[in-house]
Amino acid sequence: MELWRYTVHELHARLCRGEITATALTEAVLSRLHAVEDRIHAYLTVTAELAQEQAAAADAAFARGEVRSPLQGIPLAIKDNICTRGVRTTCASRMLEHFVPPYDATVVERLRAAGAVLVGKTNLDEFAMGSSTENSAFVATRNPWDLERVPGGSSGGSAAAVAADACIAALGSDTGGSIRLPAAMTGVVGLKPTYGRVSRYGLVAFASSLDQIGPLTKDVHDAALLLQAIAGHDPRDATSAPVPVPDYTQALGRGVQGLTLGVPREYFVAGMDPEVEAAVRAAVAQLEQLGAKCLDVSLPHTPYAVATYYILANAEASSNLARYDGVRYGLRVEAPDVVEMYRRTRAAGFGAEVKRRIMLGTYVLSAGYYEAYYRKAQQLRTLFRRDFQEAFRRCDVLATPVSPVPAFRLGERLADPLQMYLADIFTIPVNLAGLPAISLPCGFTAQGLPIGLQLIAPPFGEETLLQVAAAYEAATPFHRRQPALA
Ligand code: GLN
């Protein structure tokens, strides 16, 4: 089997036994990347030279008998809204097309310290605003399972790269579903940690009260390994939680005996794809067969989630994106006076969706509308949190679909932003409540498109997610299926 097909944990074992070198592995992954990239367009920047240097350093460490982490020598990809010192970080925006950060995000610093190899920066919807990766200012990423379809978004580049074996694992970010949705649509595992579990320092801010960084991987074990490397308190992010990080791999073999699984009835809605519903219901039945108890639960405020999210996320975005003024960094379009310079810079630098969000966000925050929109949405946020708290009194974990539909065709939802927003209906409540959730493969449509199962846990319940996901994965074949890319 070609080296690029393996998982992080398999490769780690082989690297430790000296069967392979990080240099050979990195060469193999780079050549795979180059073989598929003109069809997938997962990357905005490929850092081949840096990868080779880091691989050589990893090999030297292995030769000294030094093994710093399971990620040592492993080629990884990073979503291009996460700052990498000396490596262009564009957010898939013209505004930051030539921006080279002078510092690393904390997660990147941790990956470097772990001895990981950076193969490149992956495509996304501009500033992570979108559900299909079509909002990238540079290129639309294709779904490896069907090149005419989107990979989901906004971490579509990371998901497609993992699904196509153009990296071994990747990092994405999730504000309203951007890790889980593309994971589901490309048949990989995606984990959105509890708000505060992973430092946001160096993640370009979209909606700061919702954003979290997390892994996209080929299996559940790898998700545990990546989370382990990036989780933990960071004094440079005041919202990162001073909560100890458990050994996540310990959770993997525990099984589901004795756990109660809640199935929220509001997550099976009219209009959802029947094949998605059937696959998710079958996954619940499978978990029941493995020993979990299943329970019907209710999250009554679910129908308000999309509206609430698109008020709060846009309000925060309009404020966060005010910093792109042509003065400090990024694009600058000269003009006779400073106000005109701002206007021209922002008109040229931002794409249509980003402008739409800034306008909507500014509107809901403006005097006269603030009470009716922003404040109301904040109140609703409390109700979402309570819905989950109520449900978790009766169960340990919730099982739901990730997306109401499998990967849609390129262009299909671009004309109607609301249709695009509705793809997030089952992922958004998790961000509003700050909870951890995982997406993992649970089947395929008759046309061969992947379907995702979402598991949701109480705050800092990542171990429970990994425990249930690992048990399900061990009993099912879906994660082993490969897209038919030559
Ligand atoms: N699709 C959602 C949005 O467009 C979520 C994006 C994300 O999680 N970054 O806002």
Side-chain angles (χ1 to χ4, degrees):
M1 192 161 88
E2 298 90 340
L3 286 181
W4 39 260
R5 279 213 192 274
Y6 289 90
T7 61
V8 175
H9 58 98
E10 291 163 346
L11 290 165
H12 178 61
R14 300 192 66 185
L15 285 162
C16 287
R17 289 198 296 266
E19 284 171 28
I20 58 168
T21 63
T23 305
L25 170 61
T26 299
E27 280 313 317
V29 169
L30 285 170
S31 75
R32 170 66 177 178
L33 186 162
H34 291 303
V36 296
E37 182 58 8
D38 60 338
R39 281 168 288 164
I40 306 291
H41 303 290
Y43 285 89
L44 292 175
T45 305
V46 176
T47 52
E49 219 168 283
L50 172 65
Q52 281 150 350
E53 272 169 41
Q54 290 175 323
D59 282 331
F62 278 118
R64 290 192 302 272
E66 225 178 273
V67 183
R68 276 174 288 174
S69 92
L71 301 183
Q72 182 165 304
I74 304 290
L76 305 178
I78 296 185
K79 187 178 182 178
D80 209 22
N81 61 346
I82 299 175
C83 286
T84 41
R85 182 168 36 83
V87 177
R88 196 169 78 112
T89 299
T90 67
C91 292
S93 180
R94 296 265 169 232
M95 190 61 90
L96 294 176
E97 188 169 1
H98 305 293
F99 175 61
V100 177
Y103 69 101
D104 274 328
T106 296
V107 294
V108 173
E109 199 176 87
R110 291 192 183 185
L111 293 182
R112 286 197 207 252
V117 171
L118 175 65
V119 288
K121 304 294 298 289
T122 53
N123 197 22
L124 62 151
D125 288 297
E126 185 174 2
F127 285 102
M129 297 173 185
S131 309
S132 70
T133 314
E134 292 165 294
N135 292 339
S136 168
F138 305 117
V139 67
T141 299
R142 307 286 176 127
N143 192 318
W145 294 89
D146 178 346
L147 298 175
E148 295 311 310
R149 291 177 188 266
V150 302
S154 65
S155 311
S158 286
V162 174
D165 296 307
C167 63
I168 303 300
L171 291 186
S173 69
D174 191 313
T175 304
S178 279
I179 291 174
R180 291 159 287 154
L181 187 70
M185 289 185 170
T186 61
V188 304
V189 175
L191 193 157
K192 181 255 172 219
T194 309
Y195 186 77
R197 177 71 296 182
V198 175
S199 169
R200 292 183 298 108
Y201 179 78
L203 169 66
V204 177
F206 162 11
S208 311
S209 77
L210 302 160
D211 302 336
Q212 268 295 286
I213 297 172
L216 290 120
T217 56
K218 297 181 190 181
D219 70 4
V220 174
H221 190 158
D222 281 4
L225 295 178
L226 262 81
L227 180 63
Q228 196 79 53
I230 60 172
H233 180 246
D234 176 10
R236 291 176 297 190
D237 171 8
T239 64
S240 82
V243 174
V245 181
D247 179 351
Y248 289 116
T249 56
Q250 292 283 315
L252 298 173
R254 286 182 192 155
V256 293
Q257 204 79 45
L259 288 184
T260 304
L261 203 68
V263 183
R265 65 184 81 114
E266 291 83 0
Y267 281 56
F268 296 88
V269 292
M272 77 187 282
D273 186 288
E275 287 180 293
V276 170
E277 170 157 11
V280 173
R281 295 221 186 260
V284 170
Q286 173 80 52
L287 282 162
E288 203 165 13
Q289 208 168 48
L290 291 170
K293 213 179 102 199
C294 291
L295 206 66
D296 171 62
V297 298
S298 173
L299 299 166
H301 293 93
T302 303
Y304 305 105
V306 173
T308 306
Y309 170 87
Y310 279 95
I311 290 171
L312 295 177
N314 291 347
E316 293 185 33
S318 75
S319 160
N320 272 325
L321 271 60
R323 72 190 62 175
Y324 304 105
D325 55 5
V327 176
R328 283 164 293 184
Y329 43 75
L331 184 76
R332 177 189 180 97
V333 181
E334 294 298 347
D337 63 77
V338 72
V339 172
E340 183 60 14
M341 186 280 286
Y342 291 157
R343 206 188 62 77
R344 287 190 196 171
T345 297
R346 290 168 67 82
F350 292 136
E353 180 62 24
V354 175
K355 287 177 184 158
R356 173 158 40 236
R357 307 253 181 150
I358 292 172
M359 287 189 282
L360 284 169
T362 306
Y363 181 83
V364 299
L365 287 174
S366 56
Y369 297 101
Y370 179 92
E371 300 283 326
Y373 292 106
Y374 184 75
R375 199 183 140 92
K376 208 24 118 200
Q378 286 291 25
Q379 289 167 336
L380 264 155
R381 199 167 176 177
T382 306
L383 299 179
F384 290 110
R385 198 169 290 133
R386 278 197 205 142
D387 273 6
F388 282 109
Q389 274 165 0
E390 270 313 303
F392 285 128
R393 289 206 324 207
R394 301 173 56 217
C395 64
D396 303 293
V397 58
L398 295 165
T400 79
V402 178
S403 154
V405 291
F408 40 90
R409 287 181 196 286
L410 283 141
E412 194 180 285
R413 297 195 175 206
L414 279 181
D416 183 354
L418 197 56
Q419 277 305 309
M420 192 68 90
Y421 299 168
L422 285 173
D424 309 330
I425 179 167
F426 301 141
T427 50
I428 275 172
V430 166
N431 301 76
L432 290 171
L435 304 176
I438 195 169
S439 166
L440 70 160
C442 73
F444 289 85
T445 65
Q447 279 191 56
L449 298 172
I451 300 171
L453 168 69
Q454 175 171 243
L455 301 170
I456 308 168
F460 300 98
E462 283 84 357
E463 284 175 285
T464 315
L465 294 179
L466 293 163
Q467 173 183 354
V468 178
Y472 177 79
E473 186 184 73
T476 53
F478 308 116
H479 64 290
R480 280 193 291 274
R481 200 139 137 190
Q482 305 272 348
L485 278 170

